[in-house]
Amino acid sequence: MVNKSRMIYLGHCLSSWGDRMWSYAVAVFLMRLDSNSLILTAIYGLFISGSVLMFGSSVGNWIDKMPRLRAAQLSLLIQNSSVACYAIILLTVESMSSKTYGLLMFAKVSAIVIGVVARLASTALSIIIQKDWIVVIADGDQSMLSSLNSVLRRIDLLTKLLAPLVCGLIITFGSFKVGCGFIAGWNILSMFFEYFILRSVYRNTPKLATKSKNVSAIPVENPSEHDKTLLGEESSAAPEDRIELDRKNSEDPGKLYSMFKFILLIPKGWKQYMSQSTVLVGLGLSFLYMTVLGIDIISNAFMLSQCFSASLVGIVVGASAVTGILSTFMYSPLVSRIGTVKTGLLASLCQVLTLVPCLASIFVAGSPFIYLPVLNHDYSNSYESNNVTLQFNALSPTTVSQVNEHQNVLLKCEDGVQPPSSYLSITMLMIGIVLGRIGLWGFDLAATQLFQENIKEHERGVVGGVQSSMNSLMDLLHFMLVIALPKPGQFGVHVIVSVTFVTVGHIMYGVYSYKNWNVAQNEPADSDS
């Protein structure tokens, strides 16, 4: 069991490292293309989130029907090859001495298309390993399941700490081309190692070879003989009839159904998700995705727009990972002492408290918030409609010499961007975000374990897929809001909206906790009667 756990940890480490480097490099590349606006990164995020929203349920249903090992291997192959392919494209584009409009447009479209494919494959692999395989490996041992969850999350956060930092240093002291080459090479090599690890764990865990008899997580009413075949069920037709059925497949309406059934399965998957006892936990978790108060492509781009260098952005990302890792060490002892539900409630309270400095940051010196005339009394002169130059805070004019002073390893302004008059606002914002990881990841672990303990085996894929869709729906909304208000000076609006949604999400979990407490209180009375 120890060996299997270590193999799972190693595979997750390799996969997570590649994902983190990829996410960081894409943010830097898109910001290099348009350093004066967040709209390009928001459009990228919009398509990525939209793809999971649209196809998350179908991906989950596909996982439930596929053999475990085959599903994991296909997801791994598609994910790593997609990332390596785009890294090579970026390397090629950066090597061109003359970058035409068509070439840059090709790079942007490729980022979206390949990013969508990689994200769907990454979502599938995450559901397979973290929502299914480790539950089977734990085999009903709650303590082991809690430990597996904690270590996997700790690895995820460690790679979040180290991967962007290493990638940022490579880009800062080497070049962007070197960084792209490193990412491509990593994903190609790690794919073979991860493939071997998946086979090893599968062969040493016999229970992974068997699944619940419910082949399709979402039942189909009155399926035809052809539909039964599509769903993997045994057809009742005689052998000679099956031959005739196969001959008429091209004329059978079931063929059309097989092409578009993923669309028909979407509403059924959501209905199945809403019937779960943990639905409030899932909804509360999804509301936490409607935020810019995280370490993602938008916050990275915003830090770059505030004259943070690639290295400093990597340091902030690393600091957030350290606080998140601290949360994983606290999680298992807390669960053993007060239980999963109360641990999640405590984590919720911790994150809500860290929203205070984030909200306060938009009202202090150095804030780029253009809707505060007291702090930005001269913004109308410097905030030009053509967005060629941005004066993020006009407490006092910023001279060219002051801009040059900021060109160092930690503070470096992109072309056409002037530094803020004070770094108090961005510092408060980052402190709130970094400290908020303690509560966020503790809550995420509690929610994950509640799903694992309460969702049936044959429903894990589809419910996990719909949960990913819910998360992506909120992610989609936050990207749409950034597209509508893409200027760094409008970032304060996003902070206010984010604080609201995160708070509401934790209130939902509070309602679930209260209902759970009431059920626990009534159980002894019911048993006595």
Side-chain angles (χ1 to χ4, degrees):
M1 183 62 66
V2 174
N3 184 46
K4 285 184 288 186
S5 299
R6 288 180 177 177
M7 295 294 279
I8 286 286
Y9 299 153
L10 177 58
H12 184 65
C13 181
L14 293 172
S15 177
S16 183
W17 184 281
D19 281 348
R20 296 301 185 184
M21 286 195 303
W22 159 252
S23 299
Y24 178 82
V26 168
V28 173
F29 174 71
L30 295 177
M31 196 62 191
R32 283 162 63 94
L33 293 179
D34 188 359
S35 60
N36 289 325
S37 176
L38 304 177
I39 192 167
L40 188 56
T41 53
I43 291 174
Y44 172 81
L46 181 73
F47 275 92
I48 297 299
S49 299
S51 66
V52 180
L53 172 63
M54 284 293 297
F55 305 112
S57 177
S58 300
V59 168
N61 194 62
W62 172 78
I63 292 170
D64 284 331
K65 293 191 297 179
M66 285 285 288
R68 283 189 169 104
L69 182 59
R70 188 182 304 172
Q73 289 174 335
L74 283 174
S75 301
L76 170 65
L77 177 65
I78 295 171
Q79 178 190 4
N80 283 44
S81 59
S82 297
V83 173
C85 178
Y86 189 65
I88 293 172
I89 291 176
L90 289 186
L91 181 61
T92 305
V93 171
E94 286 293 317
S95 300
M96 296 287 187
S97 57
S98 176
K99 298 179 179 64
T100 62
Y101 173 81
L103 181 63
L104 293 177
M105 183 57 65
F106 170 74
K108 294 175 184 178
V109 174
S110 298
I112 293 173
V113 175
I114 297 177
V116 164
V117 174
R119 178 60 181 272
L120 289 174
S122 176
T123 298
L125 191 59
S126 176
I127 293 172
I128 291 167
I129 301 300
Q130 299 186 41
K131 300 295 192 296
D132 184 32
W133 280 38
I134 67 170
V135 180
V136 175
I137 291 172
D139 196 21
D141 188 334
Q142 185 182 32
S143 177
M144 177 176 290
L145 183 60
S146 174
S147 177
L148 285 167
N149 284 326
S150 297
V151 176
L152 286 177
R153 185 65 67 220
R154 196 173 303 147
I155 291 170
D156 193 45
L157 292 170
L158 272 172
T159 57
K160 189 174 184 178
L161 162 66
L162 298 175
L165 183 59
V166 171
C167 195
L169 291 174
I170 291 173
I171 293 173
T172 300
F173 296 103
S175 68
F176 189 73
K177 290 188 291 185
V178 175
C180 292
F182 184 77
I183 292 172
W186 178 275
N187 279 274
I188 293 173
L189 290 176
S190 68
M191 178 170 62
F192 294 101
F193 285 105
E194 291 175 60
Y195 191 91
F196 168 77
I197 289 169
L198 289 174
R199 286 184 62 86
S200 177
V201 173
Y202 183 83
R203 288 177 175 177
N204 286 279
T205 311
K207 288 190 175 181
L208 286 174
T210 60
K211 268 192 172 183
S212 170
K213 293 299 182 182
N214 300 54
V215 177
S216 179
I218 305 176
V220 178
E221 291 84 356
N222 303 320
S224 65
E225 289 296 328
H226 180 73
D227 292 339
K228 288 180 179 179
T229 303
L230 291 171
L231 294 174
E233 298 177 9
E234 186 67 30
S235 174
S236 58
E240 59 272 15
D241 294 332
R242 294 181 194 173
I243 296 174
E244 180 66 17
L245 180 65
D246 290 337
R247 189 182 66 81
K248 295 182 177 181
N249 270 353
S250 59
E251 303 173 3
D252 198 319
K255 196 73 173 179
L256 184 64
Y257 170 79
S258 68
M259 294 172 60
F260 297 102
K261 70 176 179 178
F262 74 92
I263 298 176
L264 302 176
L265 293 175
I266 291 174
K268 294 181 180 180
W270 284 76
K271 182 179 179 180
Q272 191 168 340
Y273 172 84
M274 296 301 293
S275 67
Q276 301 294 321
S277 61
T278 55
V279 63
L280 281 176
V281 179
L283 292 175
L285 179 63
S286 67
F287 267 57
L288 271 58
Y289 283 77
M290 175 58 188
T291 180
V292 295
L293 303 177
I295 303 297
D296 60 7
I297 191 170
I298 296 297
S299 60
N300 289 351
F302 181 70
M303 283 188 279
L304 291 170
S305 76
Q306 297 294 287
C307 297
F308 276 32
S309 70
S311 295
L312 185 54
V313 172
I315 291 172
V316 172
V317 172
S320 70
V322 169
T323 54
I325 292 169
L326 176 63
S327 178
T328 65
F329 280 105
M330 298 166 58
Y331 176 74
S332 292
L334 283 173
V335 169
S336 300
R337 183 178 292 266
I338 63 176
T340 307
V341 176
K342 290 182 180 178
T343 299
L345 198 59
L346 181 61
S348 293
L349 178 61
C350 289
Q351 188 179 14
V352 170
L353 290 176
T354 61
L355 297 177
V356 176
C358 296
L359 187 61
S361 70
I362 66 177
F363 302 104
V364 301
S367 170
F369 197 26
I370 65 173
Y371 301 108
L372 293 176
V374 174
L375 292 178
N376 299 276
H377 64 273
D378 195 32
Y379 72 85
S380 59
N381 294 327
S382 55
Y383 193 85
E384 300 179 7
S385 59
N386 61 10
N387 203 27
V388 174
T389 61
L390 292 175
Q391 176 68 33
F392 293 141
N393 191 289
L395 285 173
S396 61
T398 306
T399 63
V400 176
S401 61
Q402 287 175 308
V403 174
N404 292 333
E405 290 175 0
H406 289 78
Q407 307 304 312
N408 54 52
V409 175
L410 296 181
L411 301 174
K412 183 178 181 180
C413 297
E414 297 291 335
D415 294 340
V417 175
Q418 295 181 347
S421 61
S422 171
Y423 286 97
L424 176 61
S425 176
I426 186 67
T427 300
M428 288 182 62
L429 179 65
M430 290 304 115
I431 288 175
I433 290 176
V434 168
L435 292 179
R437 303 310 90 185
I438 297 176
L440 173 66
W441 291 116
F443 178 79
D444 178 78
L445 283 169
T448 298
Q449 186 156 342
L450 287 171
F451 294 150
Q452 292 167 337
E453 293 174 352
N454 291 279
I455 297 174
K456 298 176 182 178
E457 179 182 347
H458 65 274
E459 297 177 340
R460 288 173 192 158
V462 68
V463 173
V466 175
Q467 182 62 51
S468 296
S469 295
M470 278 295 302
N471 298 345
S472 294
L473 172 61
M474 293 302 170
D475 216 20
L476 186 74
L477 293 177
H478 116 264
F479 282 120
M480 290 177 66
L481 184 60
V482 174
I483 291 174
L485 300 171
K487 309 297 189 296
Q490 298 166 325
F491 199 77
V493 175
H494 305 308
V495 173
I496 294 172
V497 173
S498 299
V499 168
T500 302
F501 270 82
V502 171
T503 303
V504 171
H506 286 304
I507 289 174
M508 287 184 182
Y509 183 80
V511 173
Y512 168 82
S513 300
Y514 179 73
K515 289 182 176 181
N516 182 273
W517 181 80
N518 277 341
V519 170
Q521 291 294 107
N522 293 331
E523 279 180 353
D526 294 340
S527 61
D528 291 341
S529 60

